[in-house]
């Protein structure tokens, strides 16, 4: 068992990203290994931890026979408000027998409030509704926080813009959304179905066109807990012959 003077130190952070939501549950785990100059793990050595901001924190760790010591950091709850603490901090570790052996990590307990609305449609180009086998497209809104973590239970509303046709056609059915709103699920998604218009199939109709096409913008609207309403838009395109694609 090695028992010399600390020469080097490694640190591993779990999770590997330097941020977790300040949700009263998430935390970091820091794992340190102290080595002597020959690369042997040092047993029974003290490592002091300090944080330059946030709640008072500064445990003293003792390494195991392999030179390893671990400590959790967070979650932190404000004793006055009862709410999770939101802050960034630089955590520094020192080998007590050789203070020149040290490591720093910057971490963040961030505000998990949702911040961003994104909208996709699949497929973006589809057969018009009278084409055999034609169906609907799925319009999916996702609401996430600043680091892309999904935000459930957010209400998203959907609307259609003005339908555009490059020529005059005989329209048998107008495009529509199956629902005008949705609530995001545990993955942050809210989806609605879009049905394209149907063109005439009567070859004798003077407004029949074997290359008829239409398009419309589909809008999603969401209001964050703080801030102004956000809108994202995708375009749906349909033709009276099968042609499929995906847009994100």
């Amino acid at each position: 068992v090695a028992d010399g003077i600390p020469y080097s130190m490694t640190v591993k952070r779990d999770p590997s990203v330097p941020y977790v939501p300040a949700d009263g549950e998430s935390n970091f785990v820091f794992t340190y290994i102290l080595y002597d100059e020959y690369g042997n793990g040092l047993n029974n050595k003290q490592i002091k931890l300090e944080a330059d901001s946030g709640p008072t924190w500064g445990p003293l760790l003792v390494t195991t026979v392999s030179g390893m010591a671990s400590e959790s950091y967070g979650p932190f709850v404000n004793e006055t408000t009862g709410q999770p603490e939101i802050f960034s901090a630089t955590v520094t570790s020192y080998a007590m027998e050789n203070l020149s052996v040290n490591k720093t990590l910057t971490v963040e307990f961030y505000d998990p409030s949702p911040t961003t609305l994104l909208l996709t449609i699949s497929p973006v180009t589809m057969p018009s509704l009278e084409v055999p086998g034609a169906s609907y497209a799925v319009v999916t809104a996702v609401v996430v926080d600043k680091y892309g973590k999904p935000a459930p239970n957010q209400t998203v509303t959907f609307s259609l813009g003005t339908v555009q046709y490059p020529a005059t056609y005989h329209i048998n059915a107008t495009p529509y959304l199956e629902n005008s709103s949705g609530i995001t699920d545990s993955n942050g998604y809210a989806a609605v179905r879009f049905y394209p218009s149907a063109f005439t199939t009567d070859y004798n109709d003077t407004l029949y066109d074997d290359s008829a096409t239409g398009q419309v913008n589909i809008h999603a609207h969401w209001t964050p807990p703080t801030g102004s309403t956000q809108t994202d838009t995708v375009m749906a395109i349909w033709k009276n012959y099968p042609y499929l694609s995906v847009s994100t």
Side-chain angles (χ1 to χ4, degrees), residues 87-143:
F87 67 97
S88 295
T90 297
V91 176
T92 305
S93 56
Y94 302 92
M96 294 300 290
E97 292 185 20
N98 183 359
L99 296 180
S100 67
V101 176
N102 57 77
K103 291 290 184 180
T104 60
L105 289 172
T106 299
V107 295
E108 178 186 7
F109 291 88
Y110 71 90
D111 183 352
S113 299
T115 61
T116 306
L117 168 71
L118 300 169
L119 189 64
T120 61
I121 181 173
S122 180
V124 62
T125 305
M126 67 206 78
S128 51
L129 208 54
E130 84 285 354
V131 174
S135 184
Y136 54 83
V138 177
V139 180
T140 304
V142 60
V143 179

Side-chain angles (χ1 to χ4, degrees), residues 92-215:
T92 305
S93 56
Y94 302 92
M96 294 300 290
E97 292 185 20
N98 183 359
L99 296 180
S100 67
V101 176
N102 57 77
K103 291 290 184 180
T104 60
L105 289 172
T106 299
V107 295
E108 178 186 7
F109 291 88
Y110 71 90
D111 183 352
S113 299
T115 61
T116 306
L117 168 71
L118 300 169
L119 189 64
T120 61
I121 181 173
S122 180
V124 62
T125 305
M126 67 206 78
S128 51
L129 208 54
E130 84 285 354
V131 174
S135 184
Y136 54 83
V138 177
V139 180
T140 304
V142 60
V143 179
V144 296
D145 68 19
K146 63 181 288 187
Y147 286 118
K149 185 178 176 65
N153 301 316
Q154 301 295 308
T155 299
V156 180
T157 59
F158 301 88
S159 62
L160 293 181
T162 301
V163 182
Q164 298 180 342
Y165 299 105
T168 302
Y169 309 122
H170 186 157
I171 308 298
N172 286 336
T174 58
Y176 68 96
L177 294 169
E178 187 175 54
N179 296 294
S180 60
S181 67
I183 297 176
T184 57
D185 61 16
S186 60
N187 294 313
Y189 293 110
V192 297
R193 294 177 177 180
F194 167 76
Y195 290 86
S197 63
F199 301 111
T200 182
T201 57
D202 182 359
Y203 295 99
N204 296 317
D205 191 321
T206 58
L207 296 180
Y208 171 80
D209 190 325
D210 63 3
S211 60
T213 184
Q215 65 184 45

